[in-house]
Amino acid sequence: MRYTRLGRDGPDISKIGLGSLALSGAYGPIDRDEALGLIRRALDGGVTLLDTADFYAAGEVERLVGRAIAGRRDEVVVSTRGGVRRGGPGEPIEFDASPDHLTRACEASLRRLGVDRVDLYYLHCRDRTPVEEAVSRLSELARAGKIRHLGLTNATVDQVRRAHAVHPVTALALEYSLWGPHAPPELLDEARRLGLGVVAARPLGRGFLTGRIRSPLQLGAGDWRHEDPRFQQEHLRLSTRPLRQIEAAAAQLDLGAGRLALAWLISHGDHVVPVPSTRDPVHLEMNLAASGVRLTPETRDRLTGILPAGGANQSGSLLL
Ligand SMILES: NC(=O)c1ccc[n+]([C@@H]2O[C@H](COP(=O)([O-])OP(=O)(O)OC[C@H]3O[C@@H](n4cnc5c(N)ncnc54)[C@H](OP(=O)(O)O)[C@@H]3O)[C@@H](O)[C@H]2O)c1
């Protein structure tokens, strides 16, 4: 595993983190003990960034993370987020970044995680609450020692600037992968200008970039990807040709497409950190091995051109 600093002033973390959406059951069922074992395996494999959210399995994933880090708190940077509420698929998604909600949400995350302080707390920036009000409250929580670093997710460039003027922002979480939608260049530029880390959410295109999902019929009944227009049959069909090109490029480098997709992200610089999620220990090993793959700038740029040309660069689902 390689290590890096998250942004100019952030914590030192592994070059690949562990996302935890797959451990919530959003992509198919998983047993709690297996999920716990997977997180512990990731830590044993050198992962030091665990990314979660307060609403994953109604808080259950935060509890799992808390159990997994018990006794090894100093080894790991835990990120979680507040400002959104959601139940299962089909249930309404509510945004609430009001100061009082954020205080309650942060306190609840601390309890579930079993920690005194969240290392990186993301504000979900979709609510109508002005970002200054939400960030002021998070800044108070930081002064009270409950939050170490502030992150933003779903933020616009304007929100990033306004938030940063109230309290230093350490990282932006964005949907960022070889598959569309690509991270907006103006947001990436702003992150670079301000020295923010970029956490690449959905780095494997929710599994599409591994080449294993060719049809929505492969997804189980409660799978969150049924809500994502990119997993409808027609869009998957349009994406097949570019995916084959990615698979061919991966084969030339003696890699799988998923590992190439992670290496592509890492090749953009030390400030980009992917957080793939998985339920499968073998997939975990494969993903962590991507930290050692180095792409030339030519390979990186060639790959970047593949998917937009394939017409797959359309909006995905809301980033949650
Ligand atoms: N801040 C935010 O707003 C935000 C929003 C969304 C997501 N995120 C973070 O980003 C993380 C990653 O996003 P994601 O989980 O939606 O998508 P992802 O990591 O791009 O893809 C996960 C899917 O890929 C499959 N997969 C993983 N490794 C594989 C491998 N080596 N071979 C084959 N299949 C593989 C998993 O299935 P298997 O279980 O079969 O491996 C799972 O279904 C989340 O867990 C979350 O922590 C953050």
Side-chain angles (χ1 to χ4, degrees), residues 19-22 27 51-52 56 81 122 124 153-154 173 200-207 210 212 225 275-280 283 286-287 319-320:
S20 58
L21 183 57
Y27 298 147
D51 182 63
T52 189
Y56 285 178
R81 54 193 185 277
Y122 290 105
H124 198 284
T153 178
N154 275 274
R202 300 179 179 166
L204 295 169
R206 310 185 97 182
T210 67
R212 289 161 51 94
R225 290 168 291 194
V275 287
S277 80
T278 179
R279 294 173 292 165
D280 184 326
H283 292 171
M286 289 159 69
N287 297 346
L319 191 60
L320 288 173

Side-chain angles (χ1 to χ4, degrees), residues 222-265:
D223 195 304
W224 286 19
R225 290 168 291 194
H226 285 298
E227 297 171 345
D228 188 332
R230 294 169 299 174
F231 285 89
Q232 285 165 14
Q233 188 62 62
E234 180 56 11
H235 193 259
L236 287 173
R237 193 185 64 73
L238 284 174
S239 303
T240 299
R241 195 181 342 176
L243 178 63
R244 293 234 167 90
Q245 285 178 257
I246 291 169
E247 286 171 336
Q252 277 178 356
L253 296 167
D254 217 6
L255 299 170
R259 216 172 334 154
L260 183 66
L262 296 176
W264 177 81
L265 283 164

Side-chain angles (χ1 to χ4, degrees), residues 130-179:
V131 76
E132 290 84 351
E133 271 181 39
V135 171
S136 291
R137 178 56 59 89
L138 295 177
S139 187
E140 282 170 28
L141 291 167
R143 281 197 297 280
K146 297 183 177 181
I147 291 175
R148 175 78 185 93
H149 294 281
L150 172 67
L152 301 177
T153 178
N154 275 274
T156 61
V157 172
D158 180 54
Q159 286 172 319
V160 173
R161 289 184 187 143
R162 285 162 48 203
H164 199 66
V166 176
H167 186 95
V169 177
T170 297
L172 298 186
L174 312 169
E175 174 149 14
Y176 194 6
S177 78
L178 267 175
W179 206 24

